[in-house]
Amino acid sequence: MSAPPVLALRGVSKRFGAVQALTDVTLEIRAGEVVALVGDNGAGKSTLVKTVSGVHPVDDGAIEWQGAPVRIGKPHDAQALGVATVYQDLALCDNLDVVANLYLGSELRTAGVLDEIAMEKRAKELLDTLSIRIPSVRIPVAALSGGQRQVVAIARALIGDPKVVILDEPTAALGVEQTAQVLDLVERLRERDLAVVLISHNMADVLAVADRVAVLRLGRNNGVFDVADTTHEEIVAAITGASDNAVTRRTARTGRRTGRPAKEARA
Amino acid sequence: MSEQQTTGTAPPAPAPAPAATDPRLLVREKGFAGYLEEFARRIRGGELGSVPVIVGLLVIAVVFQFKNRHFLSADSLTNIGVYTSGMGIMAVGIVFVLLLGEIDLSVGSVAGVGAAVWAVLSVTHGVDDWLAVLIAVAAGGVIGLLHGFFFARIGVPAFVVTLAGFLGWSGLQIWLMGKEGSINTPSGSVVEDLTGYYFEDKAWAYGLALVAVLAYAGSLLLDTRRRRAAALPFRPLGEIALRTGAVAVIAFAVAYVLNEPSGARGLPLALVLFLAVLVLADFVVRRTGYGRRIFAVGGNAEAARRAGINVDRVRITVFGISGMLAAFGGLFIASLSGGATKNLGSGNTLMNVIAAAVIGGTSLFGGRGKIWSALLGMLVIQSIQQGLNLLGMASEIQYMITGAVLLAAVVIDSVSRRTQKTAGRT
Ligand SMILES: Nc1ncnc2c1ncn2[C@@H]1O[C@H](COP(=O)(O)OP(=O)(O)OP(=O)(O)O)[C@@H](O)[C@H]1O
Ligand SMILES: [Mg+2]
């Protein structure tokens, strides 16, 4: 019997006024696995991420953590479980410096007082592993370039000890080298047996690191593909809805065999 | 979108990461010249900090001293210090609220209610003086928490909530003060001492100056040692010496003026209390997680919420702090004016308090500012008032001048914000 998924969404729906952003969405995320979440603009990817990280609680459906149902009503709940999220809009405080942003909400303290030195030291080490050039970790985030801000947001997710890392278009603003770094990082997270959800519009990136690709279309599931035996065209077809359900049916039949080592087939 | 992409192009293998330095980065040069250069760069980038206020204070001192040689006398300076304390404490509360990017228009009325609560309890009902003071300050805190609740939980804009409070609480104040409308401070009461007590022994003022300088130097040195041990950039010893020297000159100059010239009365208790509030508030804001959360909510409330911060709690408690300090300041005002009245804290108290915080350099736009701006700004305002009083200027002129100074401060704030935007800073 395989272990239950770390995080599972079952029949999740979310509505914003007149917009039904998510309808009956199901998704399973397992430890040591990278799931790519793809879909057209407005498909509901970011909304899905926000329901899991407590920004917008779900209207309907259930979220399970390691097999047990949980309620994620506010961001703190998600963090307490071990979900770390890099949001598409980064969610940084422009007036705070890099160190303060990295540790926001989980500051290191000694005897109740902020331990700026420990935070600065670890922030530097962390940013060095991402080999990003930042003028100083003590300047306000507003003074950084778009890509630098994005790397700060990614580094933020690695502080603490998450079990699930969700990256909403983490490479959108990054150069070639930094993109490669982030993809490396995703692979390192998988090796550390974390579960990773990667949202990206770049199919090359997705195929390079993901184990499975879940497609959202107009707020609904539109198939889950094993990367090992899917083609780029099939995924694109699912995203655009061009060849519609044939693709989904085909993968449902053949998608159980997986070429990736040591990965459980979907339940 | 991705349709046009060719299949399977893997990103290039990452090159081994080069050392994370960039030749374009501005690294402060060693030594004093580098220090000056960085200072100039900050000014150009719009980070004016305390520079305009300090320049302003110097100009005020020179102009008034030139017009009236009593301006820099011990008596006059002591007055400035004592008058700065009460409203300065209220301004500290306003700095907290401004850091959140909000405003509290009720502080004048809350000061009035605080004074009225103390007077009614202590004088009319014979409650223990200390207890009455504590209850008055706590009442201010509860009032502030109430404002915070309506703002954070119900979602009413803060300026509307506190505007309603401004009216409502001054109504309560008038009701509390009853028919006569004023209650005099009995002699020997705690409130009389707030601004009436002086540590006459010269050792107090000099001792406090010494302690302040040693504590300041000690904290800088300790910080440098720890940063050095952690292999992080640290302040050079020269800079520490320079800063300590500046603080020492100011501290001992103040102590000298309070102690030595003819007419000097010693160290006023009011100033000691104000300094204590400043140091404590500065510590909370800069060194604790709570202070960090205040800045975060003021900078980007949604980001703060997503970081797991309880935004509502931060907002409510900050208004509570503002109310508490307003009531405490109200007791100082009562002490100075000889008792609680039904219009204590009305008039231009509110404007002066908000003006002080802004003149001192705390931004009206949230997330930027220092606790010490309450001291600097209130010094500016009280110096101008003291100077104009000495010149026998009518109060309408004082209003106009204070208004102009406030406008200048807000203009500086807005312009520096714009410069900082273009210089890529907040
Ligand atoms: N806070 C909100 N209020 C109202 N509608 C929203 C909100 N957030 C998202 N939506 C709507 O929900 C739908 C899904 O949006 P979402 O941001 O999840 O798309 P996405 O898949 O992340 O798109 P993209 O690839 O452009 O980032 C959109 O139609 C959007 O207009
Ligand atoms: Mg999105």
Side-chain angles (χ1 to χ4, degrees):
Chain A
M1 201 36 228
S2 66
V6 206
L7 184 66
L9 283 78
R10 310 229 180 262
V12 163
S13 299
K14 178 73 201 175
R15 189 182 184 90
F16 292 112
V19 184
Q20 185 73 38
L22 296 175
T23 314
D24 203 16
V25 173
T26 294
L27 183 69
E28 292 187 344
I29 302 158
R30 292 168 185 282
E33 191 183 50
V34 177
V35 178
L37 191 59
V38 298
D40 252 331
N41 293 120
K45 307 180 294 296
S46 298
T47 306
L48 186 74
V49 165
K50 287 177 183 169
T51 61
V52 176
S53 44
V55 176
H56 302 309
V58 298
D59 292 340
D60 250 329
I63 298 178
E64 287 174 14
W65 181 260
Q66 294 172 339
V70 286
R71 220 192 89 75
I72 301 182
K74 54 183 192 299
H76 183 79
D77 298 343
Q79 283 162 1
L81 289 172
V83 179
T85 310
V86 178
Y87 296 97
Q88 190 170 10
D89 57 8
L90 305 185
L92 299 170
C93 288
D94 278 350
N95 59 325
L96 295 180
D97 64 23
V98 176
V99 178
N101 265 291
L102 287 179
Y103 280 92
L104 193 59
S106 55
E107 293 88 1
L108 303 181
R109 286 154 219 229
T110 39
V113 180
L114 295 180
D115 191 344
E116 295 284 354
I117 291 171
M119 286 194 275
E120 186 168 335
K121 201 167 154 66
R122 282 187 35 196
K124 278 202 161 142
E125 289 161 4
L126 188 61
L127 291 171
D128 279 347
T129 66
L130 293 168
S131 84
I132 181 68
R133 301 184 186 96
I134 285 179
S136 153
V137 289
R138 285 300 179 189
I139 57 171
V141 162
L144 300 181
S145 80
Q148 289 168 334
R149 292 162 58 88
Q150 197 151 36
V151 173
V152 172
I154 294 171
R156 225 180 102 66
L158 307 178
I159 299 251
D161 202 9
K163 293 198 175 64
V164 175
V165 176
I166 305 178
L167 304 161
D168 193 349
E169 304 200 18
T171 56
L174 298 188
V176 233
E177 191 193 323
Q178 280 74 22
T179 300
Q181 300 273 355
V182 169
L183 297 181
D184 276 0
L185 172 74
V186 167
E187 284 172 343
R188 285 207 300 277
L189 294 177
R190 174 170 57 202
E191 278 155 26
R192 275 166 50 191
D193 219 32
L194 270 68
V196 182
V197 178
L198 174 71
I199 297 179
S200 175
H201 287 297
N202 185 328
M203 218 39 68
D205 292 355
V206 165
L207 294 174
V209 293
D211 299 301
R212 287 188 295 129
V213 179
V215 181
L216 276 188
R217 180 167 159 69
L218 303 176
R220 293 170 186 274
N221 285 113
N222 203 24
V224 179
F225 303 83
D226 273 311
V227 168
D229 45 26
T230 322
T231 62
H232 178 207
E233 284 75 17
E234 271 179 305
I235 298 176
V236 169
I239 293 172
T240 57
S243 51
D244 227 23
N245 287 342
V247 185
T248 345
R249 277 199 298 274
R250 205 190 108 73
T251 4
R253 275 201 318 277
T254 60
R256 286 174 172 276
R257 284 190 322 275
T258 147
R260 294 252 160 183
K263 291 288 163 296
E264 288 291 334
R266 291 211 307 128
Chain B
M1 274 274 326
S2 45
E3 283 101 309
Q4 292 90 349
Q5 255 167 340
T6 47
T7 322
T9 37
T21 47
D22 183 328
R24 290 165 305 172
L25 300 187
L26 303 163
V27 183
R28 192 207 290 174
E29 280 168 41
K30 293 268 181 278
F32 195 64
Y35 192 63
L36 279 183
E37 191 180 308
E38 177 171 292
F39 185 71
R41 193 172 68 237
R42 284 189 174 210
I43 300 284
R44 275 199 305 277
E47 280 176 90
L48 299 178
S50 315
V51 174
V53 211
I54 290 172
V55 171
L57 274 174
L58 290 176
V59 170
I60 290 169
V62 170
V63 169
F64 281 121
Q65 178 67 15
F66 188 69
K67 291 255 175 206
N68 183 324
R69 58 191 180 77
H70 289 299
F71 182 74
L72 291 179
S73 70
D75 195 46
S76 157
L77 289 179
T78 304
N79 272 346
I80 292 177
V82 171
Y83 278 85
T84 296
S85 302
M87 293 222 274
I89 287 174
M90 296 170 69
V92 171
I94 287 290
V95 171
F96 271 92
V97 176
L98 288 182
L99 286 179
L100 272 191
E102 301 299 335
I103 190 84
D104 186 345
L105 300 177
S106 72
V107 283
S109 314
V110 175
V113 170
V117 166
W118 162 78
V120 168
L121 286 179
S122 168
V123 181
T124 315
H125 292 285
V127 175
D128 177 68
D129 215 22
W130 282 99
L131 186 63
V133 166
L134 277 183
I135 293 176
V137 172
V142 171
I143 289 174
L145 291 176
L146 207 63
H147 293 157
F149 175 82
F150 276 97
F151 162 57
R153 283 288 160 79
I154 317 280
V156 189
F159 93 92
V160 179
V161 176
T162 54
L163 190 60
F166 166 73
L167 273 178
W169 304 120
S170 56
L172 176 66
Q173 175 190 1
I174 294 169
W175 180 78
L176 279 174
M177 293 311 295
K179 285 204 189 63
E180 309 92 277
S182 74
I183 298 176
N184 289 340
T185 313
S187 67
S189 83
V190 178
V191 168
E192 187 186 44
D193 284 346
L194 279 182
T195 60
Y197 185 82
Y198 289 81
F199 297 95
E200 278 162 25
D201 192 336
K202 290 178 183 178
W204 285 103
Y206 290 128
L208 186 64
L210 186 68
V211 168
V213 172
L214 288 182
Y216 183 70
S219 75
L220 288 185
L221 284 171
L222 188 70
D223 186 61
T224 288
R225 211 180 70 195
R226 290 186 57 209
R227 295 184 72 93
R228 206 175 203 155
L232 292 173
F234 52 88
R235 285 186 216 280
L237 275 177
E239 186 191 332
I240 294 180
L242 200 70
R243 282 170 173 266
T244 307
V247 170
V249 166
I250 295 172
F252 281 99
V254 171
Y256 176 85
V257 168
L258 292 174
N259 273 343
E260 301 298 344
S262 66
R265 280 167 277 177
L267 176 65
L269 174 66
L271 205 54
V272 177
L273 291 172
F274 183 30
L275 286 178
V277 169
L278 283 169
V279 169
L280 188 70
D282 185 57
F283 177 82
V284 167
V285 161
R286 289 195 306 123
R287 298 264 176 252
T288 66
Y290 179 67
R292 185 56 51 82
R293 293 198 281 277
I294 295 176
F295 275 100
V297 173
N300 185 344
E302 177 60 17
R305 187 173 83 90
R306 290 192 198 169
I309 290 173
N310 188 337
V311 174
D312 287 356
R313 186 152 69 197
V314 172
R315 287 179 164 155
I316 293 174
T317 50
V318 162
F319 275 90
I321 291 173
S322 171
M324 212 165 68
L325 292 176
F328 192 37
L331 297 179
F332 280 69
I333 299 177
S335 172
L336 279 173
S337 53
T341 62
K342 68 179 191 300
N343 47 19
L344 183 151
S346 62
N348 59 350
T349 309
L350 168 69
M351 277 320 293
N352 279 345
V353 168
I354 294 177
V358 177
I359 290 171
T362 291
S363 173
L364 279 171
F365 305 100
R368 263 192 319 129
K370 289 199 176 70
I371 289 295
W372 291 93
S373 55
L375 170 68
L376 292 175
M378 198 45 90
L379 274 178
V380 169
I381 289 180
Q382 295 299 344
S383 307
I384 292 177
Q385 284 191 353
Q386 172 75 10
L388 294 177
N389 279 340
L390 283 178
L391 296 183
M393 206 78 86
S395 65
E396 51 266 32
I397 308 283
Q398 296 190 14
Y399 278 25
M400 287 189 249
I401 292 185
T402 313
V405 171
L406 174 60
L407 187 64
V410 178
V411 167
I412 291 177
D413 181 28
S414 305
V415 170
S416 92
R417 200 168 106 104
R418 222 172 39 220
T419 329
Q420 291 188 6
K421 275 243 171 76
T422 50
R425 298 193 165 227
T426 351

